[in-house]
C-alpha cells in the first residue's frame, strides 16, 4: 500500500485536475487538446488548476487515449545550413508558444530505405504532423509514407502545389527576377549566374527568374556565364575562379544563394578584385553571414522562419478538427519576400567612367 507521504509526492493525474477544477475528465482533455466546445472562462480555470497542480500530461498517455501527441516532426536534407536553421528556429518558437514539441530529423534524400525510415519515425513518435523541407517535400517515397499513415504534413517550398496538400512558399522565380532587374538597372549586362543544387526545385525557379529578367531587358544570356553549383561555399569559389578567369569577365555575379555568393566574394578578393568596383555580387536568402562580411551582400530576404511558423499553425489547425469552422482552410500560402540592397552591388566601372566623362563636358 502506498504511504500517505508517497501519495502526496505522486505526480498529479488528469483525474486530480478534473476534481480540483470541478469539471469532467473529458473537459480537461478538451482543454489540453485545444479543442472547441469549452467556454473561455472554464478553459482559463482549468489551465490555472493545471498550473497550480504542476500537471504535465505524459505524451504516451495522450497517445493511448487517442488524443494528440503534441509532437511535430521537422524533416530536412539540405546542404544550406542557413535555410535549415531558419526553418528550425521558426518552427521551434511557434511550437513552444502553442505547447507543442518539435522533433528535428535529418534524412538523406537518396536513401534506399527512405520510406521505411519515415514510417519508423511515425510509428515511434505518433506525431500530430510533419513539416517537410526541400528536397524531401518533393520526394515521392516520403509523401507515400505520410499518405499511407494518414499523417498530416505541410510542404515548405515545394516544386509545385499538390491538390489537397498544404504548402507554404515564397515566389522564388519572382524574387530572382527582381534582384536581376536591380543588377540590370545599375547598368550591368554581362551578368553571370550560379545555379543551385540540381535536386532542389528552388534552383530551377531562381534560374527561371534570372532568364526572365534578362529576356525582358533584351539582354542575351551568355551560356559561358552560367555555372553549376550546389548551394555550398566551395562551389561558389569554384564557379568564381571559372567565371573570373575569362578574358572578358562578367561585371556582376548573381549566385542563387548566399553561401555561393560568399564564395564568389572570397575568390574575388583573393584575385585582387574590388567589390563592387570591379565586380558586383548578389546572393539569395539573407543568411546571417550576408550582413557580417565586407562588403555586406545584396540579397533576397526569404521569410524562412515565418514559413515555418505558418506550417506549424496549419498542422495545429488540421488536428483541431474544428467543426465550428464554416470556411475551407487555405491550403497554399505564398509569403512575401524582400529585396535587401547592400554594398556588394553598384554601377559597373564602364558606366561610372562614362557618367564621369559626361559631367566633365
Amino acid at each position: 500500500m502506498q504511504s500517505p507521504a508517497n501519495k502526496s509526492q505522486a505526480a498529479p493525474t488528469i483525474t486530480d485536475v478534473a476534481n480540483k477544477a470541478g469539471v469532467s475528465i473529458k473537459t480537461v482533455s478538451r482543454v489540453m487538446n485545444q479543442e472547441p466546445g469549452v467556454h473561455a472562462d472554464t478553459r482559463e480555470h482549468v489551465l490555472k488548476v493545471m498550473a497550480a497542480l504542476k500537471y504535465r500530461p505524459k505524451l504516451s498517455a495522450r497517445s493511448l487515449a487517442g488524443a494528440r501527441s503534441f509532437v511535430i516532426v521537422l524533416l530536412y536534407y539540405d546542404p544550406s545550413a542557413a535555410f535549415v536553421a531558419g526553418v528550425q528556429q521558426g518552427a521551434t518558437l511557434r511550437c513552444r508558444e502553442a505547447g507543442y514539441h518539435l522533433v528535428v530529423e535529418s534524412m538523406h534524400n537518396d536513401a534506399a530505405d527512405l520510406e521505411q525510415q519515415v514510417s519508423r519515425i511515425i510509428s515511434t513518435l505518433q506525431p500530430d504532423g510533419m513539416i517537410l523541407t526541400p528536397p524531401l517535400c518533393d520526394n515521392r517515397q516520403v509523401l507515400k509514407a505520410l499518405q499511407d499513415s494518414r499523417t498530416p504534413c505541410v510542404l515548405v517550398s515545394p516544386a509545385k502545389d499538390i491538390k489537397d496538400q498544404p504548402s507554404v512558399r515564397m515566389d522564388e522565380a519572382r524574387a530572382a527576377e527582381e534582384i536581376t532587374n536591380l543588377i540590370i538597372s545599375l547598368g550591368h549586362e554581362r551578368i553571370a549566374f550560379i545555379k543551385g543544387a540540381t535536386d532542389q526545385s528552388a534552383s530551377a525557379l531562381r534560374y527561371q527568374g534570372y532568364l526572365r529578367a534578362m529576356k525582358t531587358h533584351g539582354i542575351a544570356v551568355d551560356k559561358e556565364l552560367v555555372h553549376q553549383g550546389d548551394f555550398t561555399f566551395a562551389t561558389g569559389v569554384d564557379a568564381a575562379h571559372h567565371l573570373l578567369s575569362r578574358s572578358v569577365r562578367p561585371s556582376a555575379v548573381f549566385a542563387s544563394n548566399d553561401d555561393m555568393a560568399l564564395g564568389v566574394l572570397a575568390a574575388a578578393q583573393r584575385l585582387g578584385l574590388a567589390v563592387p568596383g570591379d565586380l558586383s555580387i548578389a546572393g539569395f536568402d539573407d543568411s546571417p553571414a550576408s550582413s557580417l562580411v565586407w562588403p555586406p551582400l545584396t540579397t533576397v530576404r526569404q521569410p524562412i522562419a515565418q514559413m515555418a511558423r505558418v506550417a506549424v499553425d496549419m498542422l495545429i489547425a488540421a488536428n483541431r478538427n474544428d467543426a465550428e469552422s464554416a470556411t475551407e482552410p487555405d491550403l497554399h500560402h505564398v509569403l512575401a519576400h524582400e529585396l535587401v540592397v547592400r554594398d556588394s552591388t553598384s554601377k559597373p566601372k564602364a558606366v561610372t567612367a562614362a557618367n564621369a566623362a559626361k559631367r566633365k563636358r
Side-chain angles (χ1 to χ4, degrees):
M1 179 179 293
Q2 190 179 37
S3 67
N6 288 337
K7 186 175 181 180
S8 65
Q9 296 173 1
T13 66
I14 190 172
T15 302
D16 296 330
V17 175
N19 290 339
K20 180 74 173 177
V23 298
S24 67
I25 292 176
K26 179 62 177 176
T27 298
V28 177
S29 177
R30 284 177 174 170
V31 171
M32 287 193 307
N33 293 327
Q34 301 181 33
E35 294 177 1
V38 180
H39 193 278
D41 291 342
T42 302
R43 186 184 301 276
E44 184 179 357
H45 176 58
V46 171
L47 290 172
K48 287 181 178 178
V49 171
M50 289 170 64
L53 294 178
K54 297 182 179 179
Y55 173 64
R56 296 291 183 272
K58 294 181 179 179
L59 296 180
S60 58
R62 287 172 173 165
S63 179
L64 290 172
R68 286 178 285 164
S69 67
F70 282 73
V71 169
I72 289 175
V73 175
L74 168 63
L75 291 187
Y76 78 92
Y77 169 66
D78 192 332
S80 175
F83 182 87
V84 173
V87 172
Q88 184 172 342
Q89 180 186 38
T92 298
L93 293 176
R94 185 66 192 104
C95 282
R96 189 175 297 159
E97 293 167 1
Y100 280 70
H101 300 274
L102 183 73
V103 176
V104 182
E105 292 281 348
S106 175
M107 293 280 167
H108 198 292
N109 191 51
D110 298 324
D113 63 339
L114 183 58
E115 185 176 342
Q116 289 73 25
Q117 289 184 45
V118 176
S119 295
R120 282 195 294 270
I121 290 176
I122 295 170
S123 176
T124 302
L125 298 176
Q126 295 292 312
D128 286 337
M130 283 193 175
I131 299 172
L132 306 181
T133 59
L136 294 171
C137 59
D138 299 314
N139 190 298
R140 292 183 180 180
Q141 292 185 68
V142 177
L143 296 176
K144 184 178 185 301
L146 293 170
Q147 184 178 21
D148 290 347
S149 65
R150 296 186 178 181
T151 302
C153 71
V154 175
L155 313 182
V156 176
S157 298
K160 60 181 179 179
D161 290 334
I162 302 173
K163 184 180 179 182
D164 299 328
Q165 177 60 65
S167 66
V168 56
R169 64 164 76 244
M170 60 166 280
D171 192 334
E172 306 265 3
R174 179 58 188 160
E177 182 179 10
E178 287 180 5
I179 200 165
T180 306
N181 284 336
L182 169 70
I183 298 170
I184 293 171
S185 72
L186 293 172
H188 295 274
E189 292 189 359
R190 287 188 59 77
I191 304 169
F193 183 83
I194 305 177
K195 295 181 178 179
T198 57
D199 64 351
Q200 300 218 30
S201 59
S203 302
L205 292 170
R206 294 173 191 181
Y207 185 46
Q208 286 175 19
Y210 161 80
L211 292 176
R212 199 158 63 199
M214 297 288 277
K215 182 178 180 180
T216 298
H217 291 274
I219 302 173
V221 175
D222 183 348
K223 293 299 178 69
E224 294 297 321
L225 295 184
V226 177
H227 196 83
Q228 184 64 55
D230 68 2
F231 283 143
T232 62
F233 179 89
T235 58
V237 172
D238 290 342
H241 282 298
H242 170 81
L243 295 167
L244 301 178
S245 64
R246 297 182 59 78
S247 56
V248 181
R249 294 194 306 257
S251 62
V253 176
F254 172 22
S256 53
N257 85 332
D258 286 343
D259 287 351
M260 293 192 299
L262 292 172
V264 175
L265 177 61
Q269 291 175 339
R270 287 173 193 165
L271 292 171
L273 298 177
V275 178
D278 296 320
L279 181 72
S280 286
I281 302 172
F284 199 110
D285 284 340
D286 194 29
S287 64
S290 67
S291 62
L292 300 178
V293 295
W294 185 259
L297 285 175
T298 292
T299 186
V300 171
R301 179 171 295 152
Q302 188 171 189
I304 300 173
Q306 183 59 26
M307 287 193 292
R309 292 179 67 88
V310 170
V312 171
D313 284 336
M314 293 173 80
L315 288 174
I316 292 174
N319 279 277
R320 277 178 180 160
N321 296 320
D322 192 345
E324 296 180 0
S325 178
T327 60
E328 287 292 326
D330 185 359
L331 292 181
H332 306 299
H333 292 261
V334 180
L335 304 188
H337 58 271
E338 182 182 350
L339 200 60
V340 182
V341 181
R342 298 195 179 106
D343 295 334
S344 66
T345 50
S346 70
K347 293 179 180 180
K349 273 189 173 180
V351 173
T352 303
N355 289 340
K358 286 180 182 178
R359 286 195 295 269
K360 289 181 180 179
R361 292 175 186 173

